[in-house]
Amino acid sequence: MCLYEMDKENGALDSLYTLYKQASKSSILNAYEETFKNLYYSLQSVDEELKHIRDTHSNDALDLDSLQNRQYLIKKLYRKYGGSYMSLMESKKNIMDKIDRIIHRQDVFDKLEKEKEESFAAYMKLANELSVKRKAVFSLLESKVMEHCKDLMLENARFKISCTEKKPSSNGIDEIEFLVSMNPGQDFSSLSVSASGGELSRLMLALKVVFQASNGIETIIFDEIDTGVSGKVALAMGAKMKALSNKYQVLCITHLASVAVMANTHYLVSKKSTFNETITRVQKLDHDQTIQELAVMTSGEASVKAKESMQDLWVKIHG
């Protein structure tokens, strides 16, 4: 198209040649004669170069089928790798990186092995520091648990923390186990083996008090931690929770009146079920309602005698 515009009749070359000839004969355009002449010969030179390029490539036939196949391949790659040139190039880079890693896999393995060794060394340093810090507080924790055990009528109980090394894990290299001896002359063994139901409840209360208080927690929740106890032991557990309420907010879920009576505020949790749903209701109780529910908890019914007994216990505790 460019050659045609230059070579056609009255095209660019003809027009420049005409201007050049007119300038040579005109006194007005004479000053531009040399300019027109240079432009004509420059354009003629470009025309000759373009013809040479055309002649050189005149035998290069365009393969339409090949171009269409290539276009189809490019569109297919676009669809497969994100739909844009940028995403296609990003995918190409990732594939080339993967090929490079395969070709130089030994270098990659060596690098990863070195990073693994460095990471493990850093882990072991932190794990050993953590182990030292843990062992430094064992004695204090043991004495605090023993102190609470005595308050909970476990006078003969002994508590010890056992620490052995284990396979490295996310929480360090220490295998920690709580050991107890519940009776004089009894060897230390794990909590689940040594303690009965009631003893386990009291030990769990002591442990929960120690560990939650040590973590700076302001609210302590006891969910039926008094399972398996009654009588004086239940009163002792209730008294322990009441003493804790001087420093922390204590929430306790219980079925024992001797524990519940220690609280300052009471809520009754009840459920009502129909054929397709269950509704849980939480009701705050006033004093009379509290005494009534405590009587039901202790004797199964809100009899006058049971309510009088709970009122006497309430006065004894709260004044």
Side-chain angles (χ1 to χ4, degrees):
M1 180 64 73
C2 191
L3 281 171
Y4 173 75
E5 292 296 332
M6 288 191 289
D7 292 338
K8 72 178 181 178
E9 188 177 354
N10 296 322
L13 281 172
D14 282 353
S15 298
L16 274 176
Y17 184 78
T18 300
L19 283 172
Y20 159 57
K21 288 299 182 180
Q22 289 178 353
S24 64
K25 299 176 182 179
S26 171
S27 58
I28 297 175
L29 297 175
N30 187 259
Y32 300 100
E33 177 186 358
E34 193 65 25
T35 301
F36 290 143
K37 179 182 177 181
N38 292 334
L39 287 172
Y40 171 73
Y41 285 117
S42 295
L43 187 59
Q44 190 179 53
S45 177
V46 172
D47 181 63
E48 291 174 354
E49 290 180 12
L50 289 175
K51 286 178 180 177
H52 175 72
I53 294 171
R54 180 197 63 192
D55 295 339
T56 302
H57 295 84
S58 60
N59 295 324
D60 294 344
L62 293 177
D63 189 340
L64 184 59
D65 288 341
S66 296
L67 290 176
Q68 287 176 336
N69 289 336
R70 186 167 180 79
Q71 183 185 39
Y72 172 77
L73 176 60
I74 292 172
K75 288 182 177 179
K76 183 179 178 181
L77 290 172
Y78 267 43
R79 288 194 301 269
K80 184 175 181 180
Y81 295 106
S84 70
Y85 177 79
M86 293 299 295
S87 62
L88 181 61
M89 291 299 100
E90 181 66 24
S91 298
K92 177 185 176 183
K93 181 180 181 302
N94 293 336
I95 292 171
M96 294 305 294
D97 289 344
K98 186 178 293 185
I99 292 172
D100 184 71
R101 287 196 297 271
I102 293 172
I103 294 173
H104 302 93
R105 57 186 177 276
Q106 190 57 51
D107 294 340
V108 175
F109 291 155
D110 292 342
K111 180 182 177 182
L112 291 175
E113 185 64 30
K114 182 179 179 183
E115 290 177 355
K116 175 186 173 183
E117 291 173 358
E118 292 174 350
S119 298
F120 184 72
Y123 166 86
M124 287 302 298
K125 181 176 181 296
L126 293 174
N128 283 312
E129 290 176 357
L130 176 61
S131 182
V132 170
K133 290 180 180 179
R134 280 173 170 160
K135 293 172 182 175
V137 299
F138 282 177
S139 178
L140 177 61
L141 289 175
E142 289 169 352
S143 63
K144 284 186 175 181
V145 171
M146 290 297 298
E147 180 183 337
H148 289 294
C149 283
K150 287 181 172 59
D151 293 339
L152 295 169
M153 303 177 68
L154 292 171
E155 296 87 352
N156 296 318
R158 292 182 296 156
F159 176 80
K160 182 173 71 173
I161 301 174
S162 169
C163 182
T164 56
E165 187 170 338
K166 68 171 184 177
K167 184 179 178 180
S169 69
S170 59
N171 58 13
I173 56 174
D174 297 320
E175 184 71 49
I176 296 176
E177 185 178 14
F178 294 157
L179 303 177
V180 294
S181 169
M182 303 307 300
N183 301 297
Q186 184 181 28
D187 292 334
F188 280 100
S189 58
S190 64
L191 259 176
S192 58
V193 175
S194 298
S196 65
E199 291 171 338
L200 185 60
S201 294
R202 283 178 278 173
L203 277 169
M204 291 305 298
L205 173 57
L207 289 171
K208 193 164 187 178
V209 170
V210 170
F211 286 104
Q212 288 199 339
S214 298
N215 288 332
I217 296 173
E218 296 181 357
T219 299
I220 301 178
I221 300 174
F222 299 110
D223 185 3
E224 299 188 18
I225 201 168
D226 47 27
T227 301
V229 301
S230 60
K232 291 182 179 180
V233 173
L235 284 171
M237 293 185 73
K240 171 60 68 176
M241 292 184 227
K242 183 171 178 59
L244 286 172
S245 69
N246 294 325
K247 294 182 178 180
Y248 312 98
Q249 180 186 44
V250 177
L251 303 178
C252 177
I253 301 170
T254 182
H255 294 288
L256 294 179
S258 51
V259 173
V261 73
M262 299 289 180
N264 297 321
T265 305
H266 294 82
Y267 294 87
L268 175 65
V269 181
S270 59
K271 289 184 179 180
K272 182 179 180 181
S273 298
T274 63
F275 69 96
N276 63 351
E277 65 177 356
T278 299
I279 299 174
T280 301
R281 183 177 177 227
V282 180
Q283 176 189 359
K284 185 177 181 179
L285 305 179
D286 60 24
H287 179 71
D288 291 339
Q289 291 171 324
T290 297
I291 296 300
Q292 178 171 317
E293 292 300 328
L294 289 174
V296 172
M297 289 174 71
T298 192
S299 64
E301 61 178 355
S303 64
V304 174
K305 185 176 181 180
K307 287 195 287 186
E308 288 177 350
S309 176
M310 286 297 101
Q311 180 63 36
D312 290 342
L313 182 58
W314 178 277
V315 172
K316 182 179 180 181
I317 294 170
H318 296 280

